[in-house]
Amino acid sequence: MKALALEAGGSPTVYSPLGVTLPGGAPGEIASVADGTAAVQDEGSQLAALALVHADAALTARARPADAVTGSVIDPGERWLDMCAGPGGKAALLAAAAAEGMATLDALELHDHRADLVRRSLKAIPDAVATVHRADARTWSPAEPYDRILLDAPCTGLGALRRRPEARWRRSIDDLDDLVDLQHALISHAGSLLAPGGVLAYVTCSPVLAETLDVVEGSGLVTLDTRVAVASATGTEPADWGRGPHVQLWPHVHGTDAMFIQALDAGTSMTPKATLTPDRVVEAYDGAEPLRTLTRLLGHQRGRVAAATAAFVVKHSPVWVMPLVTAMIIDAVVEHAPLRELVIAGAVMVLVVAQNYPTSLIYIRQLSIVLRTLEASLRLALTRRLQELSIGYHRRTSAGTLQAKVIRDVEQVVEATRQTFDTGLAAATTVVGALVLTAFRVPEFLLVYLLVVPLAATLVLVTRRAMRSRNAQFRSRMEEMSVRVAEMTHLIPVTRAHASEDQENARVDEAVSRVRVAGMELDIVNGRFGALSWIGFQVMSVLCLVGAGVLAWYGIWGITAGDVVLLSSYFAQAHRVGDGARVGRPRHRQRPRVGAVHRRGVGRGRGRAQRWQAHDGAPARTHHARQPHRPVRRRGRGP
């Protein structure tokens, strides 16, 4: 925050750990505001969003020292929702916190122009973190429930009278009835979207009881001590924020808009959702059945796995649709069909290929969330399990071995899972697509697949035991080498002092040689499998091509020249599937560091006061950094 304060010429805000208050001037001329990494927002709005980020403190009823956004506890893979996101100030702060905690945010906005404002506020946030939807929050129906929901409900806006004094003449008691009905409908639907252990923050820019406490009491949800969440976010004491369980901000007390904040849940305690505890990892693990283990580890993300699978099936469709269209074009040329058929076939090709881009993005996003959540959860589970092991175990086990398990082994698990998705889904969709289209065009040739499938299964069974043994040996040698290198680098000062460099070099040389031998043996086994599979599939492809050509020559079964090309293409694809070919494989990317500075307070008019007087005086302009980690780190700039 010091950097932002220095740049803007202001001072840190009183309560929000993310804000800077300016004495005056034009905020738009500040570089951070101009490039979208800072924005104008009332300090009360910042506290409303931070209350949701620190909602875990309210669930456990204990305040913790504030460390900006990172003072909260966010489980990797959490799903967040901003139900009424326009114009996007609070959504931007939530998105920055979600990015740092490996969560995702859906932002809803009913009106197009306000949805555009939300997208503009989120321009520095990675696309994989936050998604803006133009939708009615009252009817929003997601595939999975949400762990945290912000309902910044439309209201009379009388809590911002100090900045918009004309609202006292624009609002009447008649406005209240419609707004209260809307607030009740929104909070009722919000409660139905909460996951077990989830938290809802109900917020209005209004101190009017009909819009605040009356709506909360009629929701049927359980109130949490919101003061604890705000105290956790600000480094204060819960008693500083009133008698609770809600928090009501006042201009004359806190120097903010009159924001009302109430944290709610559905009556359940916070339970682990996206993370894998050490006990769950142990229960899921079965060394003899890796696929079963993987299924158990991903069990809590079934919805995202299903979405990724569906997206892959659609994006991979060109692989098995294109041969069919090619066959149709060849038949049209041979039979001198009308030119219109060629044009239609060409249009189908373009559409099938073009859809690969959007569906690839969907697949990559869903799979990335699944794998990165698995990666973080495994590392957390391993580190917690290491803390539970005996001191004797740690004395007997090299630190390099333990480090390799937490860092390298988990990375290998994630990459192996990625390959399983890419290769497995490619194989399944290609085979199923080929079977369906072959049955449609040349059903007699389905018998040929009865020969190909057993051949492939036989190759796998023959080489599986040898490959498993060689893989285990190679991994063991790699671990030994990792330990040797770790010990060698750690003890360099000692070995240099005792002139024992030759002994250490010899130990590392021995470990490297073992890795070399094990790697060569593994490569030979893999080479044998690759050669056998290539020969087998090529022989079957030749037999298929020749057989189909003979049948087409004699006019048997009505096979055409296009059918010959179709069958030959599918056998070639079967071989490529065996080699792990896939379409649009996502590239490994490091999660960017996300910080934030963003605009707040220029929000929808909300909050009005019964028997409440606005205070005179110029409104303060407040900047804040949506900074999840240390004060003022810029979002959207890459790692």
Side-chain angles (χ1 to χ4, degrees):
M1 208 50 51
K2 293 180 181 179
L4 181 61
L6 182 64
E7 177 189 0
S11 58
T13 46
V14 177
Y15 300 109
S16 171
L18 305 178
V20 171
T21 301
L22 301 183
E29 297 177 357
I30 300 173
S32 297
V33 175
D35 63 20
T37 56
V40 179
Q41 185 179 40
D42 182 74
E43 187 176 7
S45 296
Q46 299 175 37
L47 296 181
L50 287 172
L52 182 63
V53 174
H54 290 255
D56 60 286
L59 283 166
T60 56
R62 60 185 178 86
R64 289 168 287 103
D67 182 18
V69 176
T70 54
S72 61
V73 175
I74 302 173
D75 290 336
E78 281 192 9
R79 287 168 45 80
W80 295 5
L81 174 66
D82 188 348
M83 293 187 70
C84 304
K90 298 181 185 67
L93 189 151
L94 291 177
E100 192 71 12
M102 298 184 66
T104 57
L105 173 71
D106 286 328
L108 309 183
E109 179 50 55
L110 180 60
H111 304 288
D112 286 330
H113 69 284
R114 292 176 65 84
D116 291 337
L117 293 176
V118 178
R119 294 186 183 95
R120 192 178 309 167
S121 296
L122 297 175
K123 65 181 180 181
I125 298 292
D127 293 339
V129 174
T131 305
V132 180
H133 306 271
R134 187 204 167 284
D136 189 337
R138 294 169 294 183
T139 58
W140 178 247
S141 180
E144 299 178 66
Y146 293 96
D147 303 294
R148 307 193 195 200
I149 298 176
L150 174 65
L151 173 52
D152 188 8
C155 61
T156 53
L158 295 179
L161 279 177
R162 63 174 184 154
R163 292 187 290 111
R164 288 185 284 271
E166 71 280 4
R168 71 179 68 194
W169 292 284
R170 292 182 177 177
R171 291 295 186 183
S172 67
I173 193 64
D174 295 333
D175 299 326
L176 190 62
D177 294 336
D178 292 338
L179 286 170
V180 167
D181 290 342
L182 175 60
Q183 291 157 2
H184 279 287
L186 287 170
I187 198 171
S188 176
H189 188 55
S192 69
L193 301 179
L194 276 177
V199 182
L200 164 66
Y202 177 73
V203 177
T204 64
C205 187
S206 168
V208 179
L209 295 178
E211 295 186 280
T212 57
L213 294 179
D214 289 352
V215 174
V216 169
E217 291 173 0
S219 67
L221 301 173
V222 177
T223 57
L224 303 173
D225 194 344
T226 312
R227 302 174 305 160
V228 180
V230 176
S232 176
T234 58
T236 57
E237 295 297 326
D240 297 337
W241 301 96
R243 293 177 294 179
H246 65 276
V247 169
Q248 177 65 66
L249 303 177
W250 296 101
H252 62 288
V253 176
H254 306 101
T256 68
D257 289 344
M259 304 292 296
F260 173 86
I261 312 168
Q262 176 65 71
L264 304 157
D265 74 358
T268 58
S269 61
M270 177 170 271
T271 56
K273 299 174 288 297
T275 57
L276 295 169
T277 64
D279 291 338
R280 289 180 63 187
V281 172
V282 172
E283 292 174 359
Y285 178 74
D286 185 348
E289 297 292 341
L291 288 179
R292 181 179 300 175
T293 299
L294 181 61
T295 301
R296 292 171 179 172
L297 291 175
L298 298 179
H300 65 287
Q301 299 191 82
R302 293 187 187 91
R304 292 198 181 277
V305 172
T309 301
F312 187 93
V313 170
V314 177
K315 90 179 188 67
H316 196 68
S317 59
V319 173
W320 41 272
V321 172
M322 294 294 282
L324 175 62
V325 179
T326 303
M328 295 170 61
I329 292 176
I330 292 175
D331 288 342
V333 172
V334 171
E335 298 171 3
H336 297 285
L339 184 61
R340 182 187 47 158
E341 295 187 11
L342 294 177
V343 174
I344 293 175
V348 171
M349 279 187 168
V350 172
L351 291 176
V352 169
V353 172
Q355 61 78 33
N356 182 267
Y357 179 75
T359 51
S360 291
L361 295 181
I362 296 173
Y363 170 70
I364 291 170
R365 177 178 180 180
Q366 297 299 324
L367 183 62
S368 177
I369 294 173
V370 169
L371 295 183
R372 296 310 170 193
T373 301
L374 174 64
E375 179 182 33
S377 300
L378 285 177
R379 286 192 172 127
L380 290 173
L382 284 173
T383 53
R384 291 169 184 170
R385 178 62 73 185
L386 289 176
Q387 295 292 338
E388 298 172 359
L389 297 176
S390 66
I391 296 177
Y393 173 84
H394 287 284
R395 286 176 177 173
R396 295 190 303 269
T397 307
S398 166
T401 300
L402 300 180
Q403 181 180 356
K405 290 186 179 299
V406 176
I407 303 300
R408 187 175 56 81
D409 287 7
V410 170
E411 183 177 358
Q412 290 181 351
V413 169
V414 171
E415 288 306 311
T417 305
R418 186 190 302 277
Q419 292 177 9
T420 299
F421 270 90
D422 291 345
T423 307
L425 289 176
T429 55
T430 299
V431 170
V432 172
L435 286 173
V436 171
L437 295 181
T438 300
F440 171 73
R441 290 275 299 195
V442 195
E444 296 80 4
F445 257 76
L446 287 176
L447 298 176
V448 178
Y449 288 102
L450 295 178
L451 298 177
V452 177
V453 173
L455 174 62
T458 302
L459 288 174
V460 171
L461 291 176
V462 168
T463 58
R464 183 175 182 180
R465 181 174 300 177
M467 292 180 66
R468 179 182 295 177
S469 174
R470 298 302 182 189
N471 269 301
Q473 183 182 20
F474 180 73
R475 182 177 178 278
S476 176
R477 298 307 185 198
M478 285 293 295
E479 284 188 354
E480 291 176 3
M481 185 187 70
S482 177
V483 171
R484 289 284 184 265
V485 172
E487 291 176 348
M488 184 268 293
T489 55
H490 182 69
L491 296 175
I492 283 178
V494 178
T495 55
R496 292 292 301 275
H498 292 79
S500 57
E501 297 95 329
D502 293 340
Q503 292 90 329
E504 283 299 317
N505 289 335
R507 295 177 64 191
V508 174
D509 289 346
E510 182 183 1
V512 171
S513 298
R514 290 177 179 174
V515 171
R516 174 178 173 273
V517 173
M520 291 174 59
E521 293 175 350
L522 177 61
D523 292 341
I524 291 173
V525 173
N526 289 335
R528 289 174 179 171
F529 174 73
L532 289 174
S533 64
W534 186 86
I535 293 172
F537 280 113
Q538 290 298 325
V539 170
M540 292 302 301
S541 180
V542 170
L543 293 177
C544 175
L545 179 61
V546 173
V550 171
L551 295 176
W553 177 266
Y554 287 103
I556 300 175
W557 293 343
I559 294 179
T560 65
D563 294 333
V564 175
V565 174
L566 175 75
L567 296 171
S568 178
S569 298
Y570 284 153
F571 273 96
Q573 289 176 12
H575 173 61
R576 287 198 297 270
V577 165
D579 289 339
R582 44 196 174 269
V583 176
R585 177 179 175 179
R587 298 173 60 186
H588 174 74
R589 294 182 58 190
Q590 182 180 2
R591 184 174 58 89
R593 296 162 57 193
V594 177
V597 197
H598 88 168
R599 165 160 208 175
R600 319 224 169 224
V602 189
R604 50 177 144 339
R606 309 188 225 271
R608 52 144 147 71
Q610 278 179 327
R611 299 184 302 275
W612 185 81
Q613 299 278 335
H615 285 253
D616 295 332
R621 277 179 176 153
T622 300
H623 294 264
H624 79 275
R626 293 190 296 261
Q627 215 69 0
H629 216 54
R630 58 180 187 272
V632 175
R633 190 175 64 206
R634 305 297 174 80
R635 287 182 300 96
R637 303 288 180 154

